[in-house]
Amino acid sequence: MGPDSVPGPAVPWRKVLWERQPFPDNYVDQRFLEELRRNEGIQQYHYWAVVKEAGFVGQQLSCVAIFITLWLFMEQGLLSPETLLWTSLVCALLGYGLHQALTSQVESGCEPRTRLTDLQSATIFLSFTFGFSPVLKTLTESVSTDTVYAMSAVMLLAHLVAFPYAQPSPPGSLSLNAALFASVCLASRLPGALHTFAMLSCALLVFALWPCLLQRVRENAPRQFTWVCVGVCIGGVGGLGSQSPGGAVLLALALGSVTLLCPLLLVRLQRHKDNIQGPWDEAEIHEDLSRFLH
C-alpha cells in the first residue's frame, strides 16, 4: 500500500469515498504521512509533583497501619477504651473545626450543611454503634480466629485498592464498607463491648472522616498537605515498629516504593511513550449534540 501501488495517474487522488476514482481502494499518496501526529495532548509528568500526589496513597497505607497498631494495643491491654474514646473525640472536634475553617465560601453557599445536622448524624451513628456493640462483640464467636484475621486482611487490602485517591471526599462506598467490615471483624476479638464501640468509632474517624479532611487540606493548603502526609507516614511506621519491627521495615519499604520508586518509573517510562494520530483515526464529532436528545 502506498504511492507506488499504481504508476503516475493523470487524475489527482482525493480522499473521498463517495466519488468513483481510478485507484484501488487501499491507495494513498505522498500526503498520507504528512498528517501524522505524535503524542498529541500527552501530559508530561514532573517527578516531585507525582511524588506529592503519591503521598495520598502512602498516608492511606499508613492509616491502615495506625489502625492495626491501635487494635494491637487494645488487644494486649496497653490502651483502654476510655482513652481511645476521649482521644477520638478530641481529634474529631479538632478535625471538624479545621474542616469548617478550610471550607470555601463558594462550596458552603451551594448546599449549606448546618452544624446541627452534623451533630445529629454523629449522634445517630454513635447511638446505634453503642447499642449494637454487644451484638457485634459476639458476631464472630463461631468463626475461628485465623479466619477472622484472614478476612480482615483481605478487606483492608480491598479498601486500599478500591480507595478513590483522586477524589476521596467522600470515600468510595466499596472502600469504606470493606474497611468497616474489617473493623467489625477485628473489634469482635477485643475483650468487651466498650472495646468494640471504641474501635468502631476510631474506624469511622480513620477511614471515613480523615480522608475528607485531608482532601480539604490538599485543595486549600497544598504545602501543608505534603507535611501532613509525611507525618502520617512517620506515625504509621513508628507505631507499627512498637509492636512489630519487621512489620515496620516492610511498611517503610512499601512506602518508599509507592511514594518514591513508582513515580520515578512513571516519569522514566513517559519518555518511551509513542502515541500516533493521523488520517486513519475515526472521526470525532466536536459539535454539541445535546439539543437532539430533548
Side-chain angles (χ1 to χ4, degrees):
M1 181 180 68
D4 298 333
S5 55
V6 293
V11 180
W13 173 76
R14 301 175 59 196
K15 191 173 65 174
V16 294
L17 296 176
W18 48 266
E19 180 180 340
R20 184 180 298 276
Q21 302 183 77
F23 304 98
D25 293 339
N26 62 348
Y27 175 79
V28 292
D29 63 0
Q30 293 89 343
R31 296 172 297 172
F32 183 74
L33 293 180
E34 292 179 358
E35 302 180 33
L36 175 66
R37 303 183 304 276
R38 292 182 180 273
N39 297 333
E40 189 177 59
I42 297 298
Q43 181 180 359
Q44 297 296 328
Y45 297 103
H46 300 283
Y47 176 71
W48 289 111
V50 179
V51 169
K52 182 179 178 180
E53 293 300 321
F56 211 116
V57 183
Q59 72 82 31
Q60 195 63 27
L61 184 60
S62 300
C63 285
V64 173
I66 291 174
F67 178 78
I68 295 175
T69 302
L70 293 175
W71 178 81
L72 289 173
F73 275 115
M74 293 195 69
E75 186 191 34
Q76 298 170 5
L78 302 176
L79 177 64
S80 65
E82 294 84 0
T83 302
L84 182 60
L85 282 173
W86 281 110
T87 304
S88 300
L89 177 60
V90 172
C91 292
L93 292 177
L94 293 176
Y96 182 78
L98 180 59
H99 185 276
Q100 293 297 313
L102 292 175
T103 301
S104 63
Q105 297 296 327
V106 177
E107 291 179 351
S108 61
C110 295
E111 285 189 16
R113 182 179 174 89
T114 63
R115 293 180 177 84
L116 179 61
T117 304
D118 295 333
L119 180 61
Q120 289 175 345
S121 300
T123 303
I124 291 174
F125 174 82
L126 293 177
S127 300
F128 273 95
T129 304
F130 183 77
F132 282 101
S133 292
V135 179
L136 298 176
K137 171 67 182 66
T138 60
L139 189 62
T140 61
E141 277 189 349
S142 59
V143 183
S144 65
T145 302
D146 293 339
T147 303
V148 171
Y149 291 165
M151 288 191 303
S152 302
V154 171
M155 289 297 103
L156 289 176
L157 180 61
H159 162 74
L160 292 173
V161 172
F163 190 83
Y165 296 99
Q167 189 65 33
S169 179
S173 57
L174 176 60
S175 175
L176 181 58
N177 288 333
L180 292 181
F181 180 81
S183 304
V184 171
C185 291
L186 292 176
S188 65
R189 284 297 187 263
L190 293 176
L194 186 60
H195 294 74
T196 302
F197 172 66
M199 204 72 237
L200 292 179
S201 301
C202 178
L204 176 70
L205 192 67
V206 172
F207 297 119
L209 301 181
W210 170 249
C212 299
L213 175 60
L214 193 61
Q215 173 64 14
R216 191 70 66 186
V217 174
R218 179 163 69 171
E219 293 174 350
N220 296 279
R223 293 186 178 180
Q224 288 74 14
F225 167 77
T226 303
W227 293 108
V228 170
C229 291
V230 172
V232 173
C233 292
I234 294 175
V237 174
L240 192 59
S242 64
Q243 291 291 319
S244 174
V249 172
L250 292 177
L251 177 60
L253 291 176
L255 291 175
S257 300
V258 169
T259 58
L260 298 176
L261 181 59
C262 290
L264 179 62
L265 292 176
L266 176 63
V267 174
R268 290 291 181 87
L269 292 175
Q270 190 74 8
R271 305 173 184 175
H272 305 285
K273 192 175 185 63
D274 190 13
N275 189 12
I276 61 174
Q277 294 88 24
W280 52 84
D281 293 332
E282 297 180 359
E284 298 181 3
I285 301 176
H286 298 285
E287 184 180 0
D288 185 14
L289 303 179
S290 59
R291 63 179 183 276
F292 296 110
L293 301 178
H294 300 291

